[in-house]
Amino acid sequence: RLKREVIQLKRAVGPLAGPLRNLGGRRFVPPEIKEYLRDVEDHLTRVREQVESYDELLNPILQAHMTQVTVADNKDMRKISAWGAIFMVPTAIAGVYGMNFDFMPETEWRYGYYMIIGLIATVCYSLYRGFRRNGWL
């Protein structure tokens, strides 16, 4: 919002210098008015310089804000990616066991189901701890 206001102010103040200078150089303008116009032109110059300095100050502030937003977005993406990787493990293992192969030794074992559930839990927990240690979660 501030940047838009500064740009609008620059557009409003910028074109005034030429006509004001031309008006002060006319012969038909009385000398006391010319003095007043020179004073107004000085004020206009100061205002233009102030607006320019505000614009130069706002640029790094906006860049710093955009950097903060990007960093926050990257943190969110890391969390989403970490959770996606964790949920990928049970999905992949369930996908393999959902194919109903006849020659899978674990399917004939009495505790095969519990072993696979334990494997899924162990791998998911290991991934969770790893991502947590690295600061992704």
Side-chain angles (χ1 to χ4, degrees), residues 31-83:
E32 62 272 359
I33 300 293
K34 284 185 180 184
E35 185 178 323
Y36 174 74
L37 288 175
R38 276 193 300 272
D39 189 38
V40 170
E41 189 177 355
D42 287 342
H43 288 332
L44 178 66
T45 303
R46 266 190 252 134
V47 166
R48 238 180 36 215
E49 288 172 356
Q50 263 187 327
V51 168
E52 195 64 38
S53 70
Y54 290 151
D55 190 34
E56 290 173 7
L57 279 172
L58 278 175
N59 283 334
I61 292 170
L62 287 174
Q63 287 175 351
H65 176 68
M66 289 304 295
T67 302
Q68 286 178 334
V69 168
T70 302
V71 166
D73 286 349
N74 285 342
K75 285 180 182 177
D76 291 343
M77 286 306 295
R78 274 186 281 184
K79 285 183 180 180
I80 292 168
S81 298
W83 283 113

Side-chain angles (χ1 to χ4, degrees), residues 87-124:
F87 286 122
M88 190 62 102
V89 171
T91 303
I93 293 174
V96 169
Y97 280 92
M99 290 184 201
N100 296 325
F101 287 121
D102 290 331
F103 302 109
M104 293 180 82
E106 306 86 46
T107 58
E108 301 298 322
W109 294 349
R110 179 178 185 152
Y111 298 106
Y113 174 77
Y114 301 108
M115 182 194 73
I116 296 302
I117 294 297
L119 175 72
I120 289 173
T122 303
V123 172
C124 288

Side-chain angles (χ1 to χ4, degrees), residues 1-9 54-55 58 61-62:
R1 196 179 86 226
L2 284 174
K3 184 71 171 173
R4 258 187 259 123
E5 288 180 16
V6 167
I7 289 172
Q8 286 177 346
L9 199 54
Y54 290 151
D55 190 34
L58 278 175
I61 292 170
L62 287 174

